[in-house]
């Protein structure tokens, strides 16, 4: 009988792509990690993807990314190339000269505040020029001349690494007035200059939401904006803006260099009719009760059980204990139950296993001794703290939910409080249409999936509620 150990780790790849300069299991020992600066980056093939991109017209680069079916790696999984096409169209006169697209911006989401997520950090820690190359390709394709990397406030070291890498990129002619690659001629016979800056956040989870990020970049309080207008039309400083995640941009150099067809061979097609596939590799940061936590570059579609049990990956559950559950993609995505260990890590996971989605694809694994009531309470505490307070259902509901879960954990609640907690959870969020952003959705999906999939644990902590059933007699009972 086949087991998870018989499954090839990355059947369509001979080696890593995003982490080819960063030693990671199963390809290399992480003890050999070091920061890859400009000279080493170029010697190992760096900026060749950008060089090829400049030999293509901007729209051709966009089409190649669109054809690759690269989906955003920040959590939502929205198609990257399709997002780029939402920018206002550039017109061309009869002589073939393009109109001035005006000021546009690229905002790089390096906030990575989702609990249990540390994949983007790996790239910024050790291979910062890969991100910079991806930024340059995106800017050229979208005709953007200014890029901001919005990095979370707690990433002090990573911010310093990026600052030094950007300084190198300017010194070597990647960025700056002469134009990309030292003023290299583009397919249109001209140069294209890009400026890149690091903007440090103040440590707010809500700034990972794209419009909250834009508000913070403008120096305002990080409150998400009502949409429409969408950022591609009216974003940073009121100008058209593209917002992409660090890992998403890091995929661009290899896609342009090797072609969309090469990328499409990786990962998996959708198991749901009419849905977009899950192509390429994904950085999956595994934490929790496993023998070897860490970041692994794996093809989308791999089973969670393979990640946990394979001796070249996590090497099994810690101390030989049984699997109880896993938060597959950051706490806001909800939990996979004890019978869902074989869940495929792809973008279909939400509809197939009753979670919000794949999210960041960074599993937090729980063993049999985990108190799931405490897990739910701790997650509710986090979302209560991080709610920006702009929307009443989120501001008040997150507080009520936390109070109820505290009461349940302490043994002071009644059976009706379980139903009340679920009612509150399902009444707040952008999908019920009661909030501007998805923070409340993350709160409610996390709490209600835990409560529904581990109901017995919650029921064992509460006192029974008895509600008298009244019978109506007389006229009201007729008919």
């Amino acid at each position: 009988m086949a087991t998870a150990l018989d499954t090839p780790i990355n059947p369509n790849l001979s080696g890593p792509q995003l982490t080819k300069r960063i030693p990671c299991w199963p390809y290399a020992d992480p003890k050999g990690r070091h920061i890859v600066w400009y000279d080493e980056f170029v010697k190992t093939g760096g900026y060749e993807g950008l060089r090829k991109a400049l030999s293509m017209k901007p729209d051709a680069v966009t089409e190649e990314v669109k054809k690759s079916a690269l989906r955003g790696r920040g959590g939502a999984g929205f198609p990257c190339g399709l997002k780029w096409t939402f920018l206002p169209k550039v017109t061309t006169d009869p002589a073939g000269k393009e109109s001035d697209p005006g000021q546009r911006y690229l905002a790089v989401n390096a906030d990575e505040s989702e609990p249990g997520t540390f994949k983007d950090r790996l790239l910024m820690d050790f291979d910062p020029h890969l991100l910079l190359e991806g930024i340059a390709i995106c800017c050229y394709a979208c005709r953007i001349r200014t890029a901001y990397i919005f990095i979370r406030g707690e990433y002090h070291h990573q911010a310093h690494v990026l600052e030094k890498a950007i300084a190198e990129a300017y010194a070597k002619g990647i960025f700056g007035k002469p134009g990309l690659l030292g003023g290299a001629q583009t397919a249109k016979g001209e140069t294209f200059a890009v400026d890149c800056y690091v903007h440090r956040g103040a440590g707010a989870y809500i700034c990972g939401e794209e419009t909250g990020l834009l508000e913070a970049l403008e120096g305002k309080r990080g409150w998400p904006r009502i949409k429409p207008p969408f950022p591609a039309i009216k974003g940073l400083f009121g100008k058209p803006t593209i917002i992409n995640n660090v890992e998403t941009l890091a995929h661009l150099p290899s896609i342009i260099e090797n072609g969309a067809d090469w990328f499409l061979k990786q990962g998996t097609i959708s198991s749901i009719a009419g849905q977009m596939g899950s192509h390429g590799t994904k950085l999956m940061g595994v934490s929790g009760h496993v023998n070897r936590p860490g970041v692994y570059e794996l093809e989308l579609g791999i089973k969670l059980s393979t990640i946990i049990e394979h001796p070249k990956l996590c090497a099994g559950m810690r101390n030989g204990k049984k699997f109880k559950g896993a938060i597959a993609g950051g706490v806001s995505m909800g939990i996979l139950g004890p019978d869902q260990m074989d869940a495929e890590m792809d973008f279909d996971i939400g509809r197939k296993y009753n979670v919000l989605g794949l999210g960041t694809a960074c599993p937090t694994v729980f063993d049999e001794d985990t108190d799931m009531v405490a897990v739910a309470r701790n997650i509710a505490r986090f979302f209560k703290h991080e709610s920006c307070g702009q929307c009443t259902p989120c501001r008040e509901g997150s507080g009520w939910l936390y109070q109820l879960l505290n009461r349940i954990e302490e043994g002071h609640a009644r059976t009706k409080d379980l139903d009340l907690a679920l009612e509150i959870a399902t009444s707040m969020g952008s999908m019920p249409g009661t909030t501007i952003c998805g923070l409340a959705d993350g709160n409610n999906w996390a709490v209600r999936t835990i409560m529904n999939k581990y109901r017995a644990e919650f029921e064992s902590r509460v006192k029974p509620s008895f509600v008298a059933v009244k019978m109506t007699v007389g006229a009201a009972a007729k008919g």
Side-chain angles (χ1 to χ4, degrees):
M1 181 177 177
T3 68
L5 306 188
D6 300 318
T7 306
I9 295 174
N10 287 326
N12 301 304
L13 283 175
S14 58
Q17 299 302 311
L18 296 175
T19 58
K20 64 182 179 181
R21 301 178 189 87
I22 308 172
C24 294
W25 300 117
Y27 300 103
D29 191 332
K31 291 179 181 178
R33 290 175 182 171
H34 62 278
I35 301 174
V36 178
W37 297 115
Y38 177 85
D39 290 339
E40 183 181 354
F41 183 72
V42 172
K43 286 178 183 177
T44 52
Y47 290 114
E48 288 305 313
L50 175 59
R51 194 174 301 279
K52 183 176 179 181
L54 294 182
S55 70
M56 304 161 63
K57 291 186 177 180
D59 288 343
V61 176
T62 298
E63 282 304 310
E64 193 70 15
V65 175
K66 190 176 177 182
K67 181 183 174 184
S68 74
L70 170 65
R71 297 176 68 167
R73 286 355 191 197
F78 193 84
C80 177
L82 180 62
K83 179 186 279 191
W84 293 359
T85 65
F86 294 161
L87 288 167
K89 304 301 179 187
V90 176
T91 58
T92 306
D93 65 19
K97 183 178 176 59
E98 288 186 355
S99 61
D100 181 7
Q103 182 65 57
R104 298 176 172 196
Y105 294 101
L106 169 64
V108 182
N109 191 341
D111 192 69
E112 195 166 54
S113 298
E114 183 72 22
T117 302
F118 45 95
K119 61 181 182 66
D120 294 341
R121 175 179 176 173
L122 181 78
L123 296 174
M124 294 184 286
D125 261 330
F126 299 108
D127 199 2
H129 281 279
L130 181 63
L131 170 59
L132 301 187
E133 184 177 8
I135 289 171
I137 291 171
C138 176
C139 286
Y140 174 68
C142 297
R143 301 168 179 87
I144 293 171
R145 296 188 179 274
T146 307
Y148 290 99
I149 302 172
F150 185 94
I151 189 168
R152 67 179 294 194
E154 293 85 351
Y155 277 4
H156 304 291
H157 172 71
Q158 292 73 24
H160 292 311
V161 171
L162 283 174
E163 290 278 13
K164 183 175 178 180
I166 289 172
E168 281 190 317
Y170 272 96
K172 300 295 183 179
I174 303 299
F175 295 132
K177 289 184 179 180
L180 294 170
L181 292 179
Q185 292 287 302
T186 70
K188 297 191 296 179
E190 55 192 38
T191 61
F192 191 87
V194 173
D195 285 306
C196 183
Y197 308 95
V198 172
H199 182 103
R200 299 182 65 175
Y205 172 81
I206 196 63
C207 290
E209 194 278 336
E210 61 179 22
T211 59
L213 183 153
L214 295 180
E215 289 286 294
L217 266 176
E218 292 179 359
K220 303 173 187 173
R221 183 174 182 173
W223 272 13
R225 301 173 180 175
I226 295 174
K227 294 179 283 190
F230 292 94
I233 302 300
K234 185 178 180 182
L236 187 61
F237 305 118
K239 302 296 183 181
T241 304
I242 290 296
I243 304 163
N244 281 142
N245 173 258
V246 168
E247 186 186 350
T248 309
L249 293 169
H251 271 292
L252 298 180
S254 60
I255 290 173
I256 297 302
E257 191 172 355
N258 298 302
D261 291 337
W262 165 84
F263 190 78
L264 286 167
K265 292 176 182 176
Q266 305 164 34
T268 182
I269 60 172
S270 177
S271 57
I272 301 173
Q275 296 299 305
M276 192 174 189
S278 303
H279 298 286
T281 60
K282 182 79 184 66
L283 295 181
M284 300 185 186
V286 188
S287 59
H289 303 146
V290 293
N291 284 317
R292 189 162 62 199
V295 179
Y296 302 91
E297 184 180 354
L298 304 168
E299 286 188 65
L300 285 163
I302 190 170
K303 290 184 177 181
L304 178 63
S305 56
T306 301
I307 300 173
I308 294 171
E309 295 178 347
H310 204 290
K312 293 183 179 179
L313 299 174
C314 292
M317 295 293 294
R318 195 173 65 191
N319 299 324
K321 294 185 178 180
K322 294 180 181 178
F323 172 86
K324 186 172 185 176
I327 295 171
V331 296
S332 60
M333 293 298 109
I335 197 165
L336 295 170
D339 59 340
Q340 297 176 331
M341 188 179 178
D342 283 331
E344 299 86 1
M345 297 290 288
D346 59 34
F347 290 106
D348 293 339
I349 195 171
R351 291 176 63 175
K352 291 169 67 176
Y353 297 99
N354 191 29
V355 291
L356 184 54
L358 181 65
T360 58
C362 289
T364 303
V365 182
F366 303 115
D367 67 21
E368 58 190 308
D369 294 334
T370 306
D371 181 349
M372 301 312 296
V373 178
V375 171
R377 184 263 307 151
N378 195 39
I379 291 172
R381 181 205 60 81
F382 171 80
F383 282 111
K384 173 184 177 295
H385 181 268
E386 294 296 339
S387 173
C388 77
Q390 185 176 191
C391 304
T392 303
C394 180
R395 181 184 67 245
E396 301 299 328
S398 61
W400 295 343
L401 206 52
Y402 176 56
Q403 289 177 30
L404 277 170
L405 288 166
N406 263 323
R407 192 186 305 167
I408 293 167
E409 184 181 21
E410 292 165 358
H412 300 150
R414 293 190 175 274
T415 309
K416 63 181 181 181
D417 290 323
L418 300 181
D419 295 330
L420 181 57
L422 289 172
E423 182 182 347
I424 291 171
T426 51
S427 299
M428 58 189 219
S430 59
M431 284 185 282
T434 60
T435 61
I436 291 172
C437 86
L439 183 142
D441 294 285
N443 193 353
N444 81 53
W445 273 88
V447 170
R448 64 189 168 101
T449 56
I450 294 173
M451 291 186 70
N452 286 329
K453 293 180 182 181
Y454 302 91
R455 179 83 181 187
E457 284 194 43
F458 286 82
E459 289 179 344
S460 69
R461 304 282 272 272
V462 299
K463 301 170 185 176
S465 297
F466 296 97
V467 180
V469 178
K470 296 182 179 180
M471 297 183 65
T472 304
V473 294
K478 293 180 180 180

